[in-house]
């Protein structure tokens, strides 16, 4: 199975990392989540409604829409906060300033006994972050304005890519198989199976916003 991979590059100050990543991941999950799927009989099911909410960023002039589900939001917040904390700690220790956090969607394929089930990733979204520091208040303000428009650009790209008629797993015919395609831990919603990973990469640490090269979205 071919994996669809998308890369979104950002040069950010520490205070913007969590809101940028959260807005992207929530936007993606908004398009990869259904309301509660209830089976009536084999191959017959209904899909419940999905609640939405608008989220205003506190440090960026930007508003994004997400699934209105506290448990899902909390799970994303934990992973994004961990990534931010590790990246910031690395910079403070004089190590790398570059990190990547990825949102992957996968499905579970049953195997015949005695073999274990296999997991196949079918879509991956990588957000690559280079952490920088502003050298003045004016520079900080300029960067904040740039990030808002840059984020809007990339959210638009996300919605374009995610709405293409590419492969997504089919809803199972029987209720017992629903966990092969969707998360069943959340009440009243069924997102496709997903996981969030992150890692840091080597780079020099002496760089400011003023000397960094603005990164553009990789459209390939």
């Amino acid at each position: 199975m071919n994996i669809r991979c998308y890369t979104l590059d950002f040069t950010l100050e520490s205070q913007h990392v969590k809101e940028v990543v959260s807005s992207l991941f929530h936007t993606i999950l908004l398009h990869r989540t259904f309301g509660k799927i209830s089976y009536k009989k084999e191959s017959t099911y209904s899909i419940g409604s999905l609640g939405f909410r608008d989220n205003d960023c506190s440090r960026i002039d930007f508003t994004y829409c997400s699934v209105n589900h506290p448990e899902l939001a909390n799970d994303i917040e934990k992973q994004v906060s961990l990534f931010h904390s590790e990246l910031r700690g690395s910079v403070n220790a004089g190590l790398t300033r570059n990190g990547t956090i990825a949102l992957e969607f996968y499905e579970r394929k049953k195997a015949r006994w005695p073999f274990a089930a296999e997991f196949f990733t079918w879509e991956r979204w990588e957000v690559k972050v280079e952490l920088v520091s502003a050298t003045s208040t004016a520079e900080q303000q300029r960067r904040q304005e740039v990030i808002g428009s840059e984020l809007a650009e990339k959210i638009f790209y996300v919605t374009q890519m995610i709405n293409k008629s590419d492969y997504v797993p089919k809803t199972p015919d029987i209720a017992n198989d629903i966990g092969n395609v969707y998360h069943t831990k959340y009440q009243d919603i069924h997102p496709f199976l997903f996981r969030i990973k992150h890692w840091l990469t080597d780079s020099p640490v002496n760089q400011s916003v003023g000397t960094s090269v603005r990164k553009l979205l990789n459209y390939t």
Side-chain angles (χ1 to χ4, degrees):
M1 180 187 300
N2 293 326
I3 303 172
R4 293 194 302 277
C5 296
Y6 304 97
T7 302
L8 306 167
D9 293 342
F10 285 90
T11 300
L12 301 171
E13 289 184 83
S14 178
Q15 62 178 327
H16 300 138
V17 172
K18 289 172 66 175
E19 289 187 332
V20 166
V21 176
S22 294
S23 63
L24 288 163
F25 282 5
H26 275 294
T27 298
I28 295 165
L29 278 163
L30 181 65
H31 292 81
R32 293 288 183 241
T33 302
F34 291 100
K36 185 176 179 62
I37 300 172
S38 302
Y39 285 82
K40 299 175 182 177
K41 57 182 180 179
E42 188 173 329
S43 301
T44 304
Y45 56 85
S46 61
I47 300 177
S49 59
L50 193 63
F52 310 104
R53 60 167 292 176
D54 288 332
N55 305 272
D56 296 321
C57 296
S58 60
R59 297 181 180 273
I60 307 170
D61 184 16
F62 193 78
T63 299
Y64 63 92
C65 190
S66 68
V67 177
N68 188 16
H69 197 283
E71 188 181 359
L72 178 63
N74 187 54
D75 284 350
I76 296 171
E77 168 69 18
K78 285 179 181 177
Q79 294 298 321
V80 173
S81 294
L82 182 60
F83 168 66
H84 177 229
S85 177
E86 290 187 10
L87 183 57
R88 186 176 54 186
S90 175
V91 172
N92 291 340
L95 303 174
T96 184
R97 63 169 62 254
N98 287 303
T100 301
I101 184 166
L103 172 61
E104 293 183 350
F105 293 95
Y106 65 96
E107 61 181 311
R108 178 178 180 270
K109 295 287 189 181
K110 287 183 176 179
R112 292 185 178 181
W113 187 89
F115 301 103
E118 295 183 277
F119 298 88
F120 297 92
T121 299
W122 51 273
E123 186 173 80
R124 178 188 298 122
W125 295 85
E126 292 186 359
V127 181
K128 295 187 175 182
V129 175
E130 179 182 15
L131 209 59
V132 294
S133 301
T135 56
S136 67
T137 304
E139 187 179 352
Q140 191 176 59
Q141 180 62 36
R142 284 196 300 272
R143 187 59 196 164
Q144 188 167 321
E145 293 170 358
V146 167
I147 291 170
S149 58
E150 194 175 0
L151 185 55
E153 225 175 79
K154 294 180 181 181
I155 290 284
F156 179 69
Y157 169 75
V158 166
T159 57
Q160 282 186 312
M161 294 300 101
I162 215 164
N163 286 319
K164 290 173 68 177
S165 56
D166 290 322
Y167 172 82
V168 293
K170 179 187 173 185
T171 299
D173 289 331
I174 57 176
N176 287 344
D177 289 342
I178 195 168
N180 296 331
V181 175
Y182 301 102
H183 270 300
T184 57
K185 62 178 283 188
Y186 301 108
Q187 186 176 7
D188 298 327
I189 63 170
H190 277 118
F192 282 111
L193 289 170
F194 72 90
R195 56 196 166 206
I196 298 175
K197 304 176 179 179
H198 71 269
W199 58 93
L200 305 182
T201 52
D202 293 336
S203 71
V205 240
N206 297 317
Q207 193 169 351
S208 69
V209 173
T211 58
S212 66
V213 178
R214 181 181 176 187
K215 287 184 166 52
L216 298 177
L217 178 61
N218 178 8
Y219 285 88
T220 59

